[in-house]
Amino acid sequence: MLLEAAGHAPWHPAAREAFSGLVDQGWADPRRLSAEGRRARLLLEAARESLAAGLGARTDEVRLTASHTQSLHAAVRGVVRGRRRSGATVLASAVERAAVLAAGRFAGELETVAVDAFGRVDAAAMAARLAGQGSTGQEAAGQGGVALAALQHANGEVGTVQPVEEVGAAARDAGVPLLVDAGSSLGHVPAPSTWDLLAANPGDWGGPSGVGVLAVRPRVRWSPDWPEDEDEWFPGGVSVPAAFAAAAALDAALADRRESEVRRRRQVARIRARVAAEVPDVDVVGDPEDRLPHVVTFSCLYVDGEALTSALDREGFAVASGSACTSGAEEPSHVLAAMGALTHGNVRLALHRSVTDEDVERFCDVLPGVVARVRDLLGAQGL
Amino acid sequence: MNAPGPGGVVDARGLRCPIPVLRLAKAAAGAADGAEIEVWATDPAAEPDIRAWARMRGHTFLGAAPLEATKHDDDGDHRAAVVVKVRVSRST
């Protein structure tokens, strides 16, 4: 049973249907002037229009990309280059997606803003830095001008919603563009309304992988730091069938979004309550209320994350983990570390829309025994 | 970092999470109230995890610093090591 759908949810049936249709209709190069090319171009435009509606953007603001990572990289690199006279600092929360932080270090000078124990950024500190008062500490790069501010709509690892409105107001006052990563939230909760650049991830709402969405307000000054192309933001263009399927999936996800949100919010609250009550020495992380409806994360003391995910997999549950001991990563999750949460023994769930209440109960029934067995293997009883 | 308190030192260099925290917990179980324990570790997860462990168990996190070069042994493990210090509390 798949309980970790973040960024790669099972395809929504509407995406499958749209994609199949487009294999015959939309295979051609939309740049060509042939009848086939024109048809592909019309389908691509329809996809952009539909995605724009879902994002709360104008159609001409929407760019299609090859992946969410590519969207974030291009947003950071393009704005840093375009605003190089204003400064080189990329001011980001400490819990932004790794692609944002890596692009900030690559293209400019990354400066991160601390988060609280729920993983929520210190909005006052971020606003103060934008207004040019004082350093935020952490990965500080001095007091250079800020080229770009980056704040996610909500954190995809722990679910906490970020104060985008407050930081957006400060960015607007300072004349600094704000990149909002909605890669974990769009399709699950209403789209954020405050942004200059907005990135969303079709794979997360049941669309195909191999396509991403980046909306850019016309007022944003940017310049490509890559070779010029007819598609200046994303050279080479995108897969028309993938883009069309992404739009169809978002349409379908938004059609019953509220129902799906209410159901998954209840399931997440149930998991958080049962895990806290039934698993000893567990740290259930993220804001208990102001959070994404479908993400749950907890860390178990004295547990090897890899052993735990493997044991759950043997029980039939696919879960993710932010522990360094999982997936061979050297570093533990920067999100868990920044919020002071336990990084080992971590389990991360992102419930897709087909998860049932019975699935949730079965997982909660099995988990305490699995944790106890993994702890016993390490000789951690009685500590 | 000052001299270690009466709780002593846990050398967890070369060990991956969650073993450094587990070794610390075992040392803390046999330590007196107020004892200070140092953990030497190379795992990047050790510092955040020891901080979280202290919070969850009511102990006091005293700080972390790079381990002095003189404390390196000669087994060829040259990864950056840290020393993390906690004070044990028996009252909670």
Side-chain angles (χ1 to χ4, degrees):
Chain A
M1 177 187 312
L2 177 75
L3 296 177
E4 52 126 353
H8 288 271
W11 283 34
H12 194 291
R16 175 187 294 270
E17 195 184 324
F19 193 91
S20 310
L22 269 278
V23 171
D24 287 334
Q25 298 292 316
W27 51 267
D29 182 351
R31 300 173 178 197
R32 300 287 170 86
L33 297 175
S34 61
E36 290 82 356
R38 283 201 305 276
R39 191 167 58 208
R41 178 156 194 85
L42 285 173
L43 290 164
L44 192 58
E45 283 309 305
R48 281 179 70 201
E49 194 176 329
S50 169
L51 287 163
L55 264 64
R58 293 202 328 241
T59 303
D60 65 344
E61 294 173 330
V62 171
R63 268 83 191 169
L64 293 161
T65 85
S67 70
H68 191 52
T69 298
Q70 193 193 39
S71 300
L72 297 170
H73 285 178
V76 174
R77 294 173 63 180
V79 172
V80 167
R81 182 149 198 270
R83 285 178 43 82
R84 59 193 178 282
R85 291 206 190 92
S86 305
T89 298
V90 175
L91 184 69
S93 86
V95 297
E96 289 305 297
R97 206 178 287 268
V100 171
L101 301 178
R105 286 188 198 100
F106 178 86
E109 290 167 20
L110 179 69
E111 188 175 323
T112 59
V113 185
V115 299
D116 66 12
F118 286 152
R120 180 166 292 118
V121 74
D122 183 341
M126 196 158 180
R129 177 64 180 90
L130 282 164
Q133 314 158 356
S135 171
T136 52
Q138 299 232 329
E139 198 161 338
Q143 287 300 298
V146 178
L148 175 70
L151 183 61
Q152 61 205 189
H153 187 207
N155 187 276
E157 284 192 41
V158 301
T160 298
V161 171
Q162 300 290 356
V164 170
E165 298 294 326
E166 191 178 342
V167 170
R172 192 170 53 241
D173 289 347
V176 174
L178 177 69
L179 166 64
V180 176
D181 174 4
S184 302
S185 62
L186 201 82
H188 307 288
V189 294
S193 53
T194 300
W195 50 268
D196 296 295
L197 302 101
L198 177 68
N201 185 6
D204 202 69
W205 65 63
S209 54
V211 62
V213 185
L214 179 69
V216 185
R217 299 290 194 207
R219 61 177 175 266
V220 174
R221 197 186 313 149
W222 75 284
S223 172
D225 75 345
W226 49 86
E228 71 173 39
D229 184 80
E230 196 175 322
D231 186 337
E232 52 179 5
W233 266 102
F234 298 99
V238 295
S239 156
V240 176
F244 198 80
L250 183 58
D251 251 10
L254 294 180
D256 63 354
R257 189 197 61 74
R258 202 181 299 267
E259 272 171 65
S260 171
E261 176 180 351
V262 168
R263 184 180 61 252
R264 291 189 290 171
R265 217 173 261 290
R266 189 184 66 232
Q267 291 171 341
V268 161
R270 176 74 176 158
I271 294 170
R272 287 175 64 96
R274 282 199 65 184
V275 168
E278 297 174 35
V279 178
D281 290 316
V282 71
D283 206 8
V284 180
V285 303
D287 192 304
E289 301 295 333
D290 194 7
R291 59 181 297 101
L292 288 172
H294 62 300
V295 172
V296 198
T297 312
F298 53 89
S299 297
C300 308
L301 196 56
Y302 313 135
V303 165
D304 178 338
E306 186 174 359
L308 182 55
T309 49
S310 305
L312 285 169
D313 187 51
R314 282 195 296 277
E315 298 282 345
F317 298 99
V319 304
S321 174
S323 299
C325 26
T326 320
S327 78
E330 272 297 308
E331 300 282 334
S333 154
H334 69 282
V335 174
L336 296 173
M339 42 198 288
L342 198 63
T343 75
H344 71 235
N346 180 254
V347 171
R348 190 168 71 222
L349 311 182
L351 306 183
H352 62 85
R353 49 201 302 114
S354 316
V355 172
T356 66
D357 290 353
E358 291 69 38
D359 297 338
V360 163
E361 295 305 319
R362 273 215 304 130
F363 174 75
C364 292
D365 289 344
V366 163
L367 181 70
V370 173
V371 172
R373 282 202 299 281
V374 176
R375 274 194 183 132
D376 284 353
L377 290 176
L378 284 178
Q381 309 93 322
L383 286 176
Chain B
M1 202 54 73
N2 297 319
V9 169
V10 173
D11 186 354
R13 287 174 296 173
L15 301 173
R16 301 295 310 272
C17 67
I19 306 299
V21 175
L22 199 61
R23 294 268 173 95
L24 168 60
K26 284 178 176 164
D33 185 48
E36 291 182 7
I37 303 177
E38 271 189 20
V39 183
W40 299 354
T42 46
D43 184 353
E47 184 190 335
D49 282 0
I50 289 170
R51 194 187 290 270
W53 170 84
R55 169 177 55 77
M56 291 170 80
R57 286 314 178 90
H59 304 300
T60 307
F61 180 85
L62 297 175
L67 186 65
E68 291 164 34
T70 51
K71 289 180 182 171
H72 280 289
D73 51 22
D74 299 324
D75 62 2
D77 187 354
H78 295 302
R79 278 181 298 172
V82 291
V83 51
V84 187
K85 207 167 171 182
V86 296
R87 183 185 299 123
V88 174
S89 175
R90 292 258 72 92
S91 55
T92 46

